[in-house]
Amino acid sequence: AQKITQTQPGMFVQEKEAVTLDCTYDTSDPSYGLFWYKQPSSGEMIFLIYQGSYDQQNATEGRYSLNFQKARKSANLVISASQLGDSAMYFCAMREVSMNTGFQKLVFGTGTRLLVSP
Amino acid sequence: EAEVAQSPRYKITEKSQAVAFWCDPISGHATLYWYRQILGQGPELLVQFQDESVVDDSQLPKDRFSAERLKGVDSTLKIQPAELGDSAMYLCASSLSGTVVLSDTQYFGPGTRLTVL
């Protein structure tokens, strides 16, 4: 069963505008973490922002903010004032704890390709 | 700023040949991860080390893939023999603890893009 769902294969936004990238997740664990990563065409995965399931406030990091709606199991990434350099793939990931090992691993969605136009 | 190092960045090989990838995690990070990312998909975990021990290799095709982290620092992932379906990006990541710390963040290296002909 898909645990992380990103329904937008591609998104377009004009420079300086805000854009929201959707992410929904599925877990029965009350304790979990949600991460967003950016992957430019060069290939490296760049950590953007983290939200814990017990965090009272939505996470923010510079131009990135996370719209966390726990009851709806959604963790959408909001990028404000888009820049040309924001063009990349964006992946939502959930921290999953192995029942066997007790160690965490990340489960990724399929990603959303964002294109910022001048 | 500390980074995860990987080499080579690109590798082209013929099927049935052996290939090896190297990863040096951020200093002090106990947990090291190898992921495979097929084009158009998100990364999938192949193997996870805690110090020098493997803690999860359930998705590693053990008939052809092997991984080691002998001194608990850098790591090598090997494929022998390579098959056409192994063409992918191989990403290495590291984190401070790997255990159930909610905010334990994985930091990724630049990846090795493998093409098998």
Side-chain angles (χ1 to χ4, degrees):
Chain A
Q2 186 108 14
K3 295 193 175 185
I4 294 285
T5 303
Q6 295 182 255
T7 57
Q8 307 155 313
M11 288 287 286
F12 294 89
V13 67
Q14 277 203 311
E15 202 176 4
K16 300 180 185 176
E17 293 189 346
V19 63
T20 298
L21 306 183
D22 294 342
C23 173
T24 58
Y25 59 91
D26 182 26
T27 182
S28 56
D29 191 341
S31 173
Y32 53 89
L34 296 158
F35 299 79
W36 277 91
Y37 286 85
K38 171 185 178 182
Q39 187 176 40
S41 57
S42 53
E44 75 272 26
M45 299 282 283
I46 302 167
F47 167 70
L48 295 178
I49 196 167
Y50 162 81
Q51 179 83 45
S53 58
Y54 296 122
D55 292 345
Q56 294 296 314
Q57 294 188 333
N58 288 341
T60 61
E61 287 287 348
R63 294 187 299 110
Y64 304 107
S65 61
L66 209 151
N67 183 0
F68 182 47
Q69 298 187 44
K70 197 169 180 178
R72 297 180 61 183
K73 294 188 175 179
S74 72
N76 299 337
L77 177 70
V78 180
I79 305 175
S80 63
S82 296
Q83 302 172 356
L84 296 178
D86 293 335
S87 294
M89 284 290 290
Y90 288 81
F91 289 94
C92 180
M94 180 172 65
R95 183 185 60 82
E96 182 178 75
V97 178
S98 169
M99 296 293 289
N100 294 329
T101 69
F103 287 95
Q104 59 128 331
K105 66 178 183 181
L106 288 181
V107 177
F108 286 83
T110 52
T112 296
R113 182 172 298 280
L114 176 66
L115 183 61
V116 181
S117 59
Chain B
E1 183 176 303
E3 295 179 341
V4 177
Q6 286 188 250
S7 67
R9 293 293 307 276
Y10 303 92
K11 180 70 178 179
I12 300 174
T13 190
E14 294 185 343
K15 64 179 181 178
S16 79
Q17 295 297 305
V19 292
F21 313 132
W22 177 80
C23 172
D24 191 15
I26 293 172
S27 178
H29 279 195
T31 312
L32 185 146
Y33 313 80
W34 282 102
Y35 289 87
R36 178 169 59 185
Q37 184 180 21
I38 296 170
L39 191 64
Q41 299 181 16
E44 291 185 328
L45 182 70
L46 288 175
V47 62
Q48 177 179 347
F49 290 91
Q50 183 71 14
D51 299 313
E52 66 277 4
S53 301
V54 173
V55 297
D56 188 346
D57 62 357
S58 56
Q59 299 304 309
L60 188 72
K62 299 182 188 63
D63 57 335
R64 298 185 300 107
F65 286 65
S66 64
E68 60 183 15
R69 193 185 183 197
L70 292 176
K71 297 182 180 179
V73 181
D74 59 339
S75 175
T76 301
L77 178 69
K78 297 179 181 177
I79 309 175
Q80 183 174 19
E83 296 182 352
L84 297 178
D86 296 333
S87 294
M89 174 76 89
Y90 290 82
L91 293 161
C92 178
S94 69
S95 69
L96 196 59
S97 71
T99 54
V100 188
V101 174
L102 287 177
S103 60
D104 190 41
T105 299
Q106 294 184 25
Y107 296 94
F108 284 77
T112 296
R113 198 178 296 271
L114 174 67
T115 302
V116 182
L117 303 175

